Amino acid sequence: MIKYLPLKSINDLHDAEIREAMNRVLDSGWYLKGEATRTFEQHYAEYIGSRHCIACGNGLDALTLIFRAYIEMGVMASGDEVIVPANTYIASILAITECGLKPVLVEPSLDTLQIDDALIEQAITPRTRALMIVHLYGRCAYTSLIGDLCQKYNLKLIEDNAQAHGCNYQLSIINVQSKKTGSLGSAAGHSFYPGKNLGALGDAGAVTTNDDQLADVVRALGNYGSHQKYVHDYQGRNSRIDELQAAMLDVKLKYLDADNQRRKEIAARYEREVSNDLVRIVFSDRNSVYHIFPVFSPRRDELRQYLADNGVETQIHYPTPPHKQKCYKAWNHLSLPITEQIHAQELSIPCHQALTDEETTRIIALLNAFK
Ligand SMILES: Cc1ncc(COP(=O)(O)O)c(C=O)c1O
């Protein structure tokens, strides 16, 4: 069986170093808010190209803390609107509603699978305070139009970078300048859930930002609202990274670009060699870090069963869009046909740094033989 994402094999690639890092934490006797966290925060901020990195408990918390901080700062208030793509993992939207803000769902483009930037301006109202872009599947969702709209309407640009560690946005094709996703807007939330490109051995997340005040408030909010022990400026929560997770993430961060490069090689083969009208590929530029390699088929469930029968495990990202979930009953009547088509046809095939050339060849042959 070719597993969709064999986490043991992926972590085995750096096994000795990870164990050494974990042992260092164990031996230190210090398990929270220590040296490993500070080191990882500094390295990750440098990697992303942001002034601040505040590590926290998980990706949902990272996004939630950003909105909570803006509310504490008086930048946003209950009932304000946040524009967000309709085709995202539910966590992007949970972060907004958890803070009493109102998500405004915008359809994606079938060509990019990202929020359709041509539809954003008409969704802006006097209550709009922010635009959240989600670098879904490891592809950059930012466009210069998005940057211009945020400036024109004075909107905070929040990036959900849970799926795109290491992805670049090309500032200019001529001199090949680029910036990393997670450094393109006002603030970004990152998830280090085990299956992410930079994955921990449990839950972990981070906020990156260049905004000193925001960084300060986010850090306090994740620590019971406190900057100083037993002094509480905000009604915060406990959302911290474990030293163990920080230490192992610091090891894996060194290999992130190489790991992403391997994903790119596999993806390039899929893009070149898969040829079947029943298996549509949405091409992306080489800056994608292919957290997920999606293919689209009108007969998705049959394709999934066929691959399983032939020893290839796949996933669906995601079977049900947020607006059709029970937890958002008020939106269940909405019709968002592009989002719904993506959710009905998407199938994720294996694409990770531990996948061999032989396995890739087998997956391609199976996709081409599907009738
Ligand atoms: C796009 C997106 N946003 C947010 C999250 C939430 O991250 P976490 O699982 O670490 O809470 C995830 C991943 O699970 C995600 O894929």
Side-chain angles (χ1 to χ4, degrees):
M1 188 74 175
I2 302 177
K3 299 277 283 177
Y4 176 69
L5 192 65
L7 292 178
K8 173 82 169 79
S9 310
I10 285 171
N11 287 323
D12 276 351
L13 298 171
H14 314 298
D15 183 77
E17 262 189 276
I18 290 172
R19 284 176 198 273
E20 200 186 298
M22 309 286 276
N23 278 334
R24 263 202 311 277
V25 173
L26 185 61
D27 291 343
S28 76
W30 194 278
Y31 307 122
L32 277 171
K33 285 167 72 70
E35 195 51 42
T37 299
R38 281 191 292 277
T39 304
F40 173 67
E41 286 182 338
Q42 185 194 329
H43 288 163
Y44 195 65
E46 278 164 17
Y47 179 81
I48 292 294
S50 287
R51 198 149 63 233
H52 303 280
C53 168
I54 304 100
C56 61
N58 55 66
L60 172 58
D61 278 0
L63 293 169
T64 308
L65 288 169
I66 293 169
F67 288 114
R68 270 290 313 272
Y70 278 129
I71 290 170
E72 295 292 351
M73 289 160 65
V75 174
M76 295 177 196
S78 179
D80 280 345
E81 294 171 8
V82 179
I83 293 173
V84 63
N87 66 318
T88 182
Y89 181 57
I90 197 145
S92 321
I93 292 170
L94 289 173
I96 300 169
T97 54
E98 198 176 315
C99 293
L101 301 165
K102 187 177 164 215
V104 175
L105 306 178
V106 169
E107 284 268 62
S109 150
L110 279 178
D111 296 331
T112 62
L113 309 172
Q114 308 297 343
I115 193 166
D116 187 341
D117 61 4
L119 301 178
I120 293 174
E121 192 160 20
Q122 66 203 53
I124 296 173
T125 75
R127 290 301 300 267
T128 310
R129 294 288 171 272
L131 164 60
M132 186 197 282
I133 53 173
V134 182
H135 303 299
L136 200 69
Y137 305 143
R139 299 159 181 240
C140 180
Y142 182 85
T143 63
S144 55
L145 176 58
I146 285 176
D148 293 346
L149 288 171
C150 287
Q151 277 221 311
K152 180 171 167 191
Y153 293 96
N154 193 25
L155 306 180
K156 296 294 179 193
L157 177 62
I158 315 296
E159 297 175 79
D160 181 339
N161 201 43
Q163 301 193 359
H165 320 130
C167 178
N168 285 308
Y169 171 71
Q170 217 74 47
L171 289 171
S172 129
I173 294 173
I174 306 153
N175 55 10
V176 228
Q177 271 188 310
S178 65
K179 279 178 89 171
K180 290 242 155 36
T181 57
S183 72
L184 301 170
S186 319
H190 308 253
S191 163
F192 306 120
Y193 173 82
K196 301 299 193 226
N197 289 33
L198 179 59
L201 296 180
D203 278 319
V207 172
T208 53
T209 182
N210 285 331
D211 182 331
D212 298 343
Q213 190 192 359
L214 183 76
D216 205 47
V217 180
V218 164
R219 194 175 284 288
L221 283 172
N223 186 41
Y224 312 102
S226 164
H227 291 288
Q228 193 190 332
K229 205 167 184 182
Y230 304 135
V231 179
H232 300 272
D233 297 338
Y234 315 103
Q235 294 175 24
R237 62 166 75 190
N238 176 3
S239 182
R240 302 181 293 215
I241 194 171
D242 296 336
E243 286 280 282
L244 281 170
Q245 303 298 353
M248 82 86 69
L249 286 170
D250 201 47
V251 170
K252 288 180 78 177
L253 180 58
K254 286 190 287 183
Y255 302 103
L256 179 59
D257 285 343
D259 289 345
N260 283 343
Q261 188 51 39
R262 177 64 189 151
R263 286 174 183 262
K264 290 181 195 202
E265 283 163 19
I266 293 162
R269 283 198 60 197
Y270 287 147
E271 291 180 355
R272 234 179 10 248
E273 297 176 42
V274 173
S275 172
N276 182 339
D277 288 345
L278 295 170
V279 183
R280 190 171 77 90
I281 287 178
V282 177
F283 289 82
S284 62
D285 66 33
R286 290 270 82 80
N287 290 313
S288 168
V289 290
Y290 298 98
H291 172 59
I292 286 167
F293 194 97
V295 298
F296 297 86
S297 177
R299 286 166 44 207
R300 187 262 314 276
D301 294 342
E302 274 175 75
L303 176 61
R304 186 171 199 207
Q305 189 58 52
Y306 156 84
L307 289 170
D309 292 344
N310 286 282
V312 177
E313 189 186 26
T314 56
Q315 295 285 340
I316 295 172
H317 295 96
Y318 298 91
T320 308
H323 70 282
K324 295 293 181 193
Q325 298 285 354
K326 191 174 159 197
C327 66
Y328 289 124
K329 242 193 238 115
W331 303 335
N332 287 177
H333 69 281
L334 291 180
S335 166
L336 294 160
I338 310 234
T339 296
E340 286 157 32
Q341 181 183 326
I342 289 174
H343 285 260
Q345 296 194 354
E346 196 275 345
L347 188 68
S348 306
I349 58 175
C351 184
H352 56 81
Q353 59 269 38
L355 197 70
T356 65
D357 287 341
E358 294 69 35
E359 288 171 328
T360 311
T361 302
R362 200 164 127 222
I363 294 166
I364 292 166
L366 283 168
L367 289 171
N368 287 340
F370 179 65
K371 287 204 264 300

